[in-house]
Amino acid sequence: MVLCPVIGKLQHKRVVLASASPRRQEILSNAGLRFEVVPSRFKEKLHKASFATPYAYAVETAKQKALEVAGRMHQKDLRAPDVVIGADTIVAVGAMILEKPVDKQDAYRMLSRLNGKEHSVFTGVAIVHCCSKDGRLDTEVSEFYEETTVKFSELSEELLWEYINSGEPMDKAGGYGIQALGGMLVEYVHGDFLNVVGFPLNHFCKELARLYYPPRPADLRRVRHDSIPAVDTFENLSDSEAGGADPGQSAKGGRGGEQADGDRSQAPRALDAALNGADSRPRFPTGLLELMDGFKASKRGATLCPKSREVGLECWPRGRLWDPAALLAGQQVDGGPQDTSCLQGRPGLPMADHADQAGVCWGSWSKCHPPPPKVLFTACKLKLFDVLKDQGPLQAVDVARKLSTCAGRTEQLLDVCAALGLLEKTRRGYSNTEVATLHLVSDGEHSLQGVAEYNDAHVWGVFTRLGLAVREGAEQTRGALGAMEEERLSQSRELTLQFMRAKHSLSKLTAHHVATAFDLSRFASACDLGGCTGILARELAQEYPRLQVTVFDLPEVTELSGGFQCGGRQTERIRFVSGDFFKDSLPEADLYVLSRMLQDWPDDKLHKLLSRISSSCKPGGGLLVAEAAAEEEGASQSPRLRTLSAGQPRSPDEHRRLLQRHGFQDVRVARAGDLLCVVLGTRAAP
Ligand SMILES: O=c1[nH]cc([C@@H]2O[C@H](COP(=O)(O)OP(=O)(O)OP(=O)(O)O)[C@@H](O)[C@H]2O)c(=O)[nH]1
């Protein structure tokens, strides 16, 4: 029984449930947890409109409930409990949030809204770890939410009033109790039943497993792949498109990754992975990031052959990206006979007779194979991995029903995802592979959904429309991308948030490697330039207990960074300062940090930035630079970790020369985490 050891991790701790809900108490004590109950006095009055989603509201309320109890108990006893658990359950109908009804009329209004329809029940949960230091309370908060879909039958007025008069709705979110009489109102439930009742026990155990037995996921497995099913496009999977779909086509096209039940055990669920692992940091999902990023390589491929521009084709460099197995394994396949059979005999697909000479495979992938990154983005956008997370394995028709998409197209999408190693396909249906569970489910700790979202919404478009800049060479491309990036970022708050989410999730994977590539304990202060949400700052503060860290970023970024903070002991040594590192004075620091920044800028801006840092840095001070590593000395070709960056990686020598040119000596270069190149230079006396 997997739950016991997880719950057992709390056995010797003083655990407090900050809730008056008898249902929560029952669910947790049935699971074997020993705890005290201290109902929270936090008034559930947060301003709902200020939350982007209903679940953000539930999570924040849960957190405030738990923190109120932790603070009160600490004040009273001068000793806080070890762990305080808070929860908040709400019902959401579209953007509207329903809590507990205040009276019968209110209950009637709520139940009438739910009548005959589907709604979502969200429970936000906060697990607050407390400790007292020098008489002060210190807290670390882990938070999550769970969503369950509930559908009500068509109910008569008489039945509604009979139910209201039973008294049951009054202390229940949305005005019903699914575990009792309210169960009669419900046609179906998708998801965790206990989540509706008030506490998502399964997710809670997974969260404990994550906290106490951190995961060590297997990297992407190599998938055997015969061919990717052919489709026109995955852009639109709606039913209105169904006429264009050919359900038979996918069957003919071969279904990558298909396996008979029993051939291999199911992909381990997150909990199992968590329980089996020891290392808290997941291995770098190289293959997945290359998949998300692969289209940049293809766009650069277009520069290889002048003919491609004439005929307006997009070209994939030979061998690369056509083979998802190689792609996901992080390999680049160059040379060798190119299989162009996929293109032959397809009317309307021009074949260039100089293909061999140019070394590229001709053809418009959008008419032949779906571009793998676009498949991934589409699957993320549709929340395919979220649906399969709890409900998989599911057959294609069931997935289509849940996503409200066309069944035929959905099956094709699922098959391509299976071919790419993102899903497993067995007779029982499709389910997430480990890598999808870890990185593609939206609420996962190591989710890269933000990167997929940003690449899809923004970077894809930039690369698609930048034919001109691509033709003009790498420097100009970098400049044009940088300028467009800047312009767009300044235009849209949503885009800024998307960018921040993407950078935040990538930084989570790299920050530890950057912070530990060198011993930085000689520095008392550091300034992370373009530090965004402060993930690296947090890691630095955690690694070096006396280090004060400043995160310096544009005002629109620092303004939004609050939403990404999760508290913790290091926070008091981190401050956020707004400014533009090209214009404003840089905050004083012993060590300046540029993490995955330099690649974004054209040479003139890059030198301007480095010379500004050099002027601000005191002799003996340091500059730490982290960038995607080039594959080998001088090669500068690595497609790895380019995500969010426009330029090409530099070799260690190029980095060394760059820092020396700006007055840094003793430049040391380290490979970190396999994919990063981290460089540390010391400012020489002028
Ligand atoms: O089907 C059911 N749906 C909901 C419930 C109960 O509804 C309440 C939700 O309210 P809240 O999250 O604010 O929790 P409170 O009861 O106010 O307790 P706190 O002290 O934690 O704020 C919750 O009790 C659910 O159990 C239900 O029973 N069935």
Side-chain angles (χ1 to χ4, degrees):
M1 170 67 173
V2 283
L3 299 182
C4 296
V6 198
I7 290 285
K9 278 283 166 187
L10 295 178
Q11 206 176 3
H12 302 293
K13 296 189 189 296
R14 185 179 176 205
V15 179
V16 167
L17 175 65
S19 174
S21 166
R23 277 75 55 177
R24 291 193 184 116
Q25 294 166 26
E26 193 182 339
I27 292 169
L28 283 170
S29 53
N30 282 347
L33 185 70
R34 288 217 309 258
F35 55 91
E36 298 160 44
V37 176
V38 180
S40 181
R41 293 181 193 160
F42 176 75
K43 297 268 173 284
E44 296 173 36
K45 275 195 186 143
L46 294 172
H47 185 50
K48 296 189 182 71
S50 64
F51 292 88
T53 54
Y55 57 78
Y57 169 82
V59 168
E60 185 59 29
T61 306
K63 184 166 107 183
Q64 294 306 331
K65 285 182 185 179
L67 287 173
E68 187 279 323
V69 168
R72 183 153 42 96
M73 290 183 78
H74 181 260
Q75 227 168 29
K76 193 161 158 262
D77 303 349
L78 275 182
R79 185 185 160 244
D82 298 313
V83 178
V84 181
I85 302 164
D88 189 62
T89 303
I90 55 161
V91 163
V93 200
M96 182 180 294
I97 294 176
L98 308 179
E99 296 180 283
K100 289 164 292 190
V102 289
D103 55 25
K104 285 188 175 181
Q105 275 307 327
D106 200 21
Y108 173 74
R109 270 192 297 274
M110 288 184 184
L111 292 168
S112 308
R113 267 211 178 89
L114 306 179
N115 200 357
K117 287 198 294 238
E118 256 190 13
H119 62 269
S120 290
V121 181
F122 292 101
T123 299
V125 176
I127 306 172
V128 178
H129 282 85
C130 310
C131 77
S132 298
K133 228 173 35 196
D134 307 327
R136 283 175 46 209
L137 172 66
D138 212 351
T139 54
E140 290 268 6
V141 184
S142 311
E143 52 194 37
F144 65 89
Y145 71 91
E146 183 67 32
E147 176 178 9
T148 305
T149 308
V150 177
K151 162 109 195 289
F152 267 31
S153 294
E154 295 283 354
L155 306 164
S156 66
E157 293 285 298
E158 194 191 356
L159 197 145
L160 286 186
W161 277 111
E162 206 178 317
Y163 179 58
I164 293 164
N165 287 328
S166 74
E168 191 176 280
M170 299 318 295
D171 61 345
K172 317 236 168 28
Y176 70 96
I178 198 166
Q179 70 277 21
L181 293 177
M184 289 190 268
L185 317 179
V186 170
E187 202 167 290
Y188 61 73
V189 178
H190 289 317
D192 183 353
F193 180 86
L194 290 182
N195 183 49
V196 184
V197 181
F199 199 80
L201 182 64
N202 181 272
H203 198 154
F204 176 71
C205 290
K206 286 176 181 164
E207 189 62 15
L208 289 183
R210 193 186 64 75
L211 290 170
Y212 292 110
Y213 301 87
R216 192 176 154 273
D219 205 350
L220 282 163
R221 66 188 165 81
R222 283 162 192 255
V223 286
R224 212 181 69 75
H225 158 73
D226 297 325
S227 70
I228 302 181
V231 290
D232 289 341
T233 172
F234 284 126
E235 283 299 296
N236 188 346
L237 288 165
S238 67
D239 280 328
S240 58
E241 275 261 82
D246 174 10
Q249 193 182 5
S250 67
K252 274 181 244 132
R255 295 167 194 187
E258 178 159 15
Q259 292 160 331
D261 278 347
D263 278 2
R264 179 169 49 194
S265 59
Q266 277 293 303
R269 295 279 163 263
L271 182 57
D272 294 345
L275 288 171
N276 293 331
D279 183 359
S280 67
R281 271 167 264 273
R283 271 192 282 153
F284 210 88
T286 315
L288 184 63
L289 282 169
E290 286 190 7
L291 181 56
M292 289 189 178
D293 222 21
F295 61 90
K296 295 179 187 170
S298 78
K299 295 294 172 189
R300 288 201 179 90
T303 57
L304 289 174
C305 178
K307 189 79 184 273
S308 67
R309 291 178 227 142
E310 279 164 37
V311 294
L313 290 174
E314 305 297 351
C315 300
W316 295 86
R318 176 193 280 276
R320 199 196 281 177
L321 298 174
W322 289 99
D323 179 358
L327 185 75
L328 290 178
Q331 289 174 349
Q332 182 183 323
V333 184
D334 281 321
Q338 172 65 50
D339 177 15
T340 54
S341 57
C342 55
L343 304 173
Q344 273 144 17
R346 281 178 183 264
L349 280 180
M351 297 281 289
D353 48 13
H354 60 293
D356 278 344
Q357 216 183 319
V360 295
C361 170
W362 292 100
S364 161
W365 43 249
S366 62
K367 293 211 182 85
C368 176
H369 289 322
K374 207 61 182 162
V375 172
L376 171 58
F377 300 157
T378 304
C380 287
K381 205 189 242 169
L382 289 168
K383 302 273 179 246
L384 172 65
F385 304 105
D386 292 351
V387 165
L388 290 176
K389 179 185 91 172
D390 295 321
Q391 300 169 47
L394 286 177
Q395 300 295 341
V397 280
D398 297 321
V399 175
R401 196 168 49 77
K402 285 175 194 300
L403 299 179
S404 307
T405 51
C406 156
R409 291 277 172 104
T410 302
E411 186 172 16
Q412 291 172 335
L413 176 71
L414 290 162
D415 284 341
V416 181
C417 286
L420 291 170
L422 305 173
L423 298 181
E424 299 231 46
K425 184 180 182 183
T426 65
R427 277 193 217 105
R428 293 201 295 142
Y430 299 85
S431 50
N432 290 340
T433 55
E434 250 182 278
V435 79
T437 302
L438 193 71
H439 296 296
L440 297 175
V441 167
S442 35
D443 59 358
E445 161 75 0
H446 302 291
S447 176
L448 289 169
Q449 276 251 354
V451 180
E453 183 192 15
Y454 182 73
N455 275 7
D456 187 29
H458 178 62
V459 187
W460 178 274
V462 169
F463 270 75
T464 310
R465 284 189 291 272
L466 266 183
L468 220 172
V470 172
R471 269 178 232 142
E472 287 175 4
E475 291 303 299
Q476 284 86 339
T477 307
R478 225 179 261 166
L481 288 172
M484 275 183 77
E485 185 84 349
E486 257 183 315
E487 194 186 296
R488 279 172 164 255
L489 275 180
S490 63
Q491 272 168 9
S492 147
R493 185 183 158 92
E494 179 45 32
L495 196 62
T496 307
L497 262 176
Q498 267 177 4
F499 174 80
M500 290 174 75
R501 282 196 289 267
K503 192 154 180 185
H504 187 76
S505 47
L506 271 178
S507 299
K508 272 190 176 171
L509 292 172
T510 57
H512 179 71
H513 297 301
V514 177
T516 56
F518 297 101
D519 178 7
L520 305 173
S521 53
R522 70 186 160 105
F523 301 108
S525 59
C527 174
D528 186 6
L529 297 163
C532 200
T533 63
I535 283 285
L536 177 56
R538 200 179 151 81
E539 195 71 40
L540 285 165
Q542 192 161 313
E543 208 58 43
Y544 305 100
R546 68 181 195 107
L547 192 69
Q548 302 285 338
V549 192
T550 304
V551 179
F552 189 68
D553 215 318
L554 294 168
E556 57 269 32
V557 173
T558 49
E559 183 201 325
L560 295 170
S561 64
F564 292 84
Q565 304 313 312
C566 48
R569 272 169 225 126
Q570 310 79 17
T571 321
E572 59 211 35
R573 286 185 285 118
I574 300 173
R575 64 177 185 138
F576 284 76
V577 174
S578 298
D580 180 339
F581 52 46
F582 286 117
K583 293 191 198 126
D584 302 316
S585 345
L586 305 183
E588 269 190 25
D590 298 342
L591 173 73
Y592 288 94
V593 181
L594 285 171
S595 180
R596 304 209 323 279
M597 278 285 145
L598 295 186
Q599 257 170 261
D600 292 345
W601 303 108
D603 279 357
D604 56 336
K605 289 213 148 189
L606 167 90
H607 291 301
K608 183 172 178 188
L609 175 57
L610 288 176
S611 102
R612 299 194 91 229
I613 296 172
S614 181
S615 319
S616 302
C617 197
K618 291 170 251 161
L623 171 59
L624 186 78
V625 172
E627 290 295 327
E631 251 160 89
E632 57 195 50
E633 191 78 0
S636 296
Q637 286 297 326
S638 172
R640 298 167 162 196
L641 211 66
R642 264 195 318 240
T643 304
L644 310 186
S645 296
Q648 290 286 352
R650 288 184 175 76
S651 70
D653 257 357
E654 285 171 323
H655 274 121
R656 208 171 277 121
R657 285 196 293 275
L658 198 59
L659 263 67
Q660 282 165 348
R661 179 172 161 184
H662 288 279
F664 291 89
Q665 61 188 20
D666 269 345
V667 181
R668 286 182 290 150
V669 181
R671 284 291 281 244
D674 194 28
L675 294 163
L676 284 170
C677 173
V678 186
V679 189
L680 178 65
T682 304
R683 180 76 176 98

